[in-house]
Amino acid sequence: FFLAGLRPATAMALLEEIWMATLGGMVLGVSTSIYLAVVGRITGMSGTLRSSYAQITLQKKADPLHLVYLGGLVLGGVGLRYVYPSGFEDGGYGSWLMFSSGCLVGLGTTIGHGCTSGHGLCGLARWSKRSFAAVVTFFATALVVATSLSGIMGKEWVPTHTSDSSTSGGVALGALCVGASLVVYGGIQLRQHDEPILVVSALGCALLFSLGLCISGMLKPTKIHAFLILDENWDPSLAFVMGGGVFINIIAWPLILAWASPLGCDQWDLPEKTELENDIFIGAFIFGVGWALGGLCPGPGIVGIGGRYGTSMLIWILGCLTGDQIAMLLPFKKSTLKNDIEDGKKESSALM
């Protein structure tokens, strides 16, 4: 129906965008299904970033899998910068906008226990009512906020082309070093438990996830805004990213979860809560506002650091970590952090 009234050339271009979005979404689905099959976990970008930050700042027990996965996402972005440069945004948003957006996303995803990957790609495939509530809330919020602010934020949502090659190259080099360090350190920790399959799986799935984000257009805030702003120029293609990924997972996950255990460890490590609590709706709402402002969620923000305008993404990530930290200091989240430390001990013993 969205092709009605379009000229043939425009319709063909839109169909190509839809195909790439669907293909990218299916790559994301394959990545998350492989990760579940081998590691026994859902793929959550906000949780991976938050857990790695909490480990580095000594607020959480070491979980080397998250470190390896985060490093793989960063390395994937650096590699794709040269292999598939058209998948990245050709410009950057203002620093205040990126930091504010990141801060809200970090705050919201920590309170609400997930983002578009954990709740969307993985939670919907598990038929989780908590994830369904979160997805409906943050999508509806982002659509309303972006559409309402489009007239005011029009100029702010036009990328500026101010990056020079030395700055861009410096950020990419820094990302390469950080990504490699995370993979090596996390890999050494896992290797001590004689679990090389977990290292290979986490790194491989992260690289594949990076590719899916790049192909689908998720690394471009302008494309996200074209989807979130409901006007005559609305671009529906990004809906097929979620659709393609969930389609793969809905088929694969019941088959995988019928196994006695994952391929790489002894037990499943999946969310157990089923109750609809206020934090799901509050967190998803805050996340939706932040997503609408900056056009980024954690996965694209991490991978995007490797792009030509990685400085803009880095500022967004710093804002996201700030939001994470604020949320972790909230009274009802402090107890969760303590539980995470105990869970980390259990996970470490399970790997041994």
Side-chain angles (χ1 to χ4, degrees), residues 167-184:
T167 301
S168 174
V171 173
L173 178 61
L176 177 64
C177 294
V178 170
S181 298
L182 288 170
V183 171
V184 170

Side-chain angles (χ1 to χ4, degrees), residues 54-128:
Q55 292 176 68
I56 293 170
T57 55
L58 305 179
Q59 299 180 77
K60 183 179 185 294
K61 181 71 176 180
D63 185 349
L65 269 175
H66 281 152
L67 296 177
V68 173
Y69 199 101
L70 178 63
L73 289 174
V74 175
L75 292 178
V78 175
L80 288 166
R81 167 195 176 114
Y82 301 100
V83 176
Y84 196 75
S86 62
F88 293 83
E89 188 71 86
D90 187 23
Y93 285 179
S95 298
W96 77 268
L97 177 61
M98 297 303 276
F99 186 85
S100 300
S101 167
C103 190
L104 288 171
V105 169
L107 181 64
T109 54
T110 301
I111 294 174
H113 309 283
C115 58
T116 53
S117 56
H119 278 315
L121 291 173
C122 300
L124 295 182
R126 295 174 58 241
W127 302 101
S128 166

Side-chain angles (χ1 to χ4, degrees), residues 19 21-31 240-241 243-248:
W19 159 243
T22 304
L23 177 62
M26 294 178 73
V27 171
L28 296 176
V30 171
S31 172
F240 292 83
V241 179
V246 173
F247 173 75
I248 293 293

